[in-house]
Amino acid sequence: MPAERTPAALPVAAARRRRLRADRARQLADLLRHQILTGAFPRGVLPLEDVLAADHHASRNTVRQALDLLRGEGLVERQPGVGTVVVGEKYPHGLDRLQGLAEILREHGRVTNEVRNLGPVRAPGPVAHRLGLPDDADVLCVERLRRLNGLPLSLDLSYLPMDVGGELLGCDLENTDVFRLLERLTGGPLGHADITLEAVNADAHAAAVLQAPRGAALLMLERLTHLPCGRPVDLEFIRFRGDRITMSGVLRRSP
Amino acid sequence: MPAERTPAALPVAAARRRRLRADRARQLADLLRHQILTGAFPRGVLPLEDVLAADHHASRNTVRQALDLLRGEGLVERQPGVGTVVVGEKYPHGLDRLQGLAEILREHGRVTNEVRNLGPVRAPGPVAHRLGLPDDADVLCVERLRRLNGLPLSLDLSYLPMDVGGELLGCDLENTDVFRLLERLTGGPLGHADITLEAVNADAHAAAVLQAPRGAALLMLERLTHLPCGRPVDLEFIRFRGDRITMSGVLRRSP
């Protein structure tokens, strides 16, 4: 290819090599991320760069760039004399069943909730509408900062109809999932929930509450939970720290 | 409350008011976001600030701050003489069934794929392991930038065993979902997929490819798709632009 030999083509070729290396580094980082999250590295120490390069048929430069990406995500750190170690832990949140946070994370530790706001408010129009309430109804508004083993995990805002939510006012919201309290109050299991997941950047205030950097990627879950009879009873907006949670499930091709 | 009257308490009270207003603005933004995403505003124009304030029992300051948050997310813009208009469109991606992107977004427009990398590579160890292949196997590696109506939506990297993937080399990958091609080749529907969702900040390179700001929140989907017999045939790492996609589904309380 003669064009490669002209002086003008040299920067183009160099840019192409940089692009290819960036692609390969991202691809390698994706594989390592999965291994980190599934606990594939004994004692949380990653293999040496040479070993990673051989395992992945990659250059050492690519390995270094991939580790830089994972460091940027707060998943690993370089420790002198030890190597690259896993520092961030992400917790799995099932997409297969409707569960409360303490239930889901039972094996991982203790969930505690700091109640930041609690009390009746006049329902904003869309809240009344989605909960099937008259426009001028009051709803219970509960905002909680949820922690796992003391580390901030999510900021949850819930709206509940007063006949159901009012009963929560005397309950131990600091140590109990709202789902569990609702089931105690209604005497049976909840029904289903409509959920929507999005990735959003944290605004300055949400970042401060979650002790995350401003702009940090958050996994945002909107959830409308219904009683078995179909009545909607809990409208939630949950901001999970993206570096601390993953959502997993199984999808089938046939309905 | 005498403490409120001491000079030292004044900044504390002011900080508390600011915090409460930030909380309320975020809460209002969450409600408006849902309405924007579900197309609740006729012609994509939001009501006037006064109307929003009355509907949501909020102050105009809170309304303004909420609109600022949505503007920061690229969902709305202020247009002189018109008001606040919806500019970002987010597309719904189902969490209830295993589907390809063109299938999912059929009603929203045309999906085209720019093939950035395509060819056999020696499988990195974890890829071979997850696809149930010997350690020294080759796999087909396909990287595509996927666009909806010309706008970048996701960057998808797939690894497929060569006996299946090799057949894709002659196919129209620019205009067809890999799922559809796989079903044509295998003569029947796919089986199930294990999925994991995360929110991550875009690294500089992925951001450039997706034409998103550096650090933009991405919804990252890892998906391992199986044939009905249980054989894994497609390992994917998909980075969706967080501002262009939502994932929706239904969860049930009983298994």
Side-chain angles (χ1 to χ4, degrees):
Chain A
M1 292 189 292
E4 292 275 330
R5 278 186 219 118
T6 66
L10 288 176
V12 175
R16 186 160 187 279
R17 274 197 304 278
R18 267 201 309 276
R19 192 195 98 169
L20 280 175
R21 189 160 70 228
D23 282 345
R24 279 197 226 104
R26 192 178 58 250
Q27 291 159 14
L28 173 54
D30 285 348
L31 296 172
L32 295 174
R33 187 185 303 104
H34 177 88
Q35 293 184 287
I36 290 168
L37 299 181
T38 54
F41 299 117
R43 295 179 311 281
V45 181
L46 272 67
L48 295 176
E49 289 181 2
D50 286 344
V51 178
L52 287 174
D55 272 4
H56 290 268
H57 322 302
S59 71
R60 279 192 64 159
N61 269 341
T62 302
V63 169
R64 271 189 213 120
Q65 208 170 328
L67 294 176
D68 280 345
L69 289 174
L70 296 171
R71 234 190 335 267
E73 293 175 30
L75 280 177
V76 302
E77 244 176 43
R78 192 168 288 165
Q79 282 182 8
V82 184
T84 301
V85 297
V86 177
V87 286
E89 192 170 4
K90 280 204 179 190
Y91 302 98
H93 188 304
L95 277 175
D96 294 325
R97 259 190 78 191
L98 180 59
Q99 290 190 298
L101 197 64
E103 241 177 318
I104 290 171
L105 300 175
R106 197 166 22 194
E107 319 161 17
H108 298 280
R110 178 145 174 257
V111 171
T112 50
N113 310 309
E114 177 187 324
V115 179
R116 302 181 75 244
N117 286 300
L118 173 68
V121 296
R122 183 133 168 244
V127 172
H129 176 73
R130 296 187 70 202
L131 288 173
L133 299 172
D135 272 350
D136 56 353
D138 277 357
V139 287
L140 185 76
C141 176
V142 189
E143 193 180 49
R144 293 167 302 158
L145 172 62
R146 313 196 70 177
R147 293 188 174 92
L148 178 68
N149 302 328
L151 286 179
L153 202 63
S154 68
L155 182 61
D156 296 21
L157 179 74
S158 303
Y159 297 98
L160 303 106
M162 280 311 289
D163 64 314
V164 177
E167 303 280 332
L168 296 183
L169 284 170
C171 295
D172 181 11
L173 284 163
E174 304 207 335
N175 296 292
T176 327
D177 284 343
V178 164
F179 280 3
R180 193 159 152 213
L181 295 172
L182 287 177
E183 293 190 331
R184 255 191 233 154
L185 293 170
T186 60
L190 293 165
H192 74 280
D194 302 313
I195 65 159
T196 302
L197 279 167
E198 292 171 72
V200 299
N201 290 102
D203 61 89
H205 183 70
V209 173
L210 286 164
Q211 293 170 31
R214 184 169 180 165
L218 303 179
L219 195 58
M220 167 119 176
L221 171 63
E222 203 199 285
R223 182 165 66 183
L224 180 62
T225 301
H226 302 70
L227 296 179
C229 63
R231 182 185 172 200
V233 289
D234 187 5
L235 174 61
E236 294 170 281
F237 298 90
I238 307 177
R239 285 170 162 79
F240 288 104
R241 276 183 58 151
D243 58 345
R244 298 211 170 131
I245 208 95
T246 69
M247 302 255 170
S248 302
V250 174
L251 298 186
R252 287 173 204 290
R253 183 65 166 156
S254 314
Chain B
M1 292 190 291
E4 292 275 331
R5 279 187 218 118
T6 67
L10 287 175
V12 175
R16 185 158 189 281
R17 274 198 303 278
R18 267 201 308 279
R19 193 195 95 168
L20 280 175
R21 189 158 72 226
D23 282 344
R24 278 196 226 106
R26 192 177 58 249
Q27 292 158 14
L28 174 54
D30 285 348
L31 296 172
L32 295 174
R33 188 184 302 104
H34 178 88
Q35 293 184 288
I36 290 168
L37 298 181
T38 54
F41 300 117
R43 295 179 312 283
V45 181
L46 272 67
L48 295 176
E49 290 180 1
D50 286 343
V51 178
L52 286 175
D55 271 4
H56 289 269
H57 322 301
S59 71
R60 279 191 63 160
N61 269 341
T62 302
V63 169
R64 270 188 215 123
Q65 208 170 330
L67 294 176
D68 280 345
L69 289 174
L70 296 172
R71 233 189 337 267
E73 293 175 29
L75 280 178
V76 302
E77 243 175 43
R78 193 168 288 166
Q79 281 181 8
V82 184
T84 302
V85 298
V86 177
V87 285
E89 192 169 2
K90 281 204 179 190
Y91 303 98
H93 189 304
L95 277 174
D96 293 324
R97 259 191 78 192
L98 179 60
Q99 290 191 298
L101 197 64
E103 241 177 316
I104 289 171
L105 300 175
R106 197 163 26 193
E107 317 160 19
H108 298 281
R110 181 148 171 253
V111 171
T112 50
N113 310 308
E114 179 188 323
V115 179
R116 301 182 75 244
N117 286 300
L118 173 67
V121 296
R122 181 132 171 246
V127 171
H129 176 73
R130 297 188 69 201
L131 287 173
L133 299 172
D135 272 350
D136 56 352
D138 276 358
V139 287
L140 184 78
C141 176
V142 189
E143 193 180 50
R144 294 168 302 159
L145 173 62
R146 313 197 70 177
R147 292 187 174 90
L148 178 68
N149 301 327
L151 286 179
L153 203 62
S154 67
L155 181 61
D156 297 20
L157 179 75
S158 302
Y159 298 98
L160 303 106
M162 279 311 289
D163 64 315
V164 177
E167 302 280 333
L168 296 182
L169 284 169
C171 295
D172 181 10
L173 285 163
E174 303 206 336
N175 296 291
T176 326
D177 285 342
V178 165
F179 281 1
R180 194 159 150 213
L181 296 173
L182 288 177
E183 294 190 331
R184 256 191 232 154
L185 293 170
T186 61
L190 293 165
H192 73 280
D194 302 312
I195 66 159
T196 302
L197 279 167
E198 292 170 73
V200 299
N201 290 101
D203 62 89
H205 183 70
V209 174
L210 286 164
Q211 294 170 31
R214 184 168 180 165
L218 304 178
L219 196 57
M220 168 119 177
L221 171 63
E222 203 198 285
R223 182 165 65 184
L224 180 62
T225 300
H226 302 71
L227 296 179
C229 63
R231 182 185 172 200
V233 289
D234 188 4
L235 173 62
E236 293 170 280
F237 298 89
I238 307 177
R239 286 169 160 78
F240 288 105
R241 276 184 56 151
D243 58 344
R244 297 212 171 132
I245 208 94
T246 68
M247 301 256 170
S248 301
V250 173
L251 299 185
R252 287 174 203 289
R253 183 66 167 155
S254 314

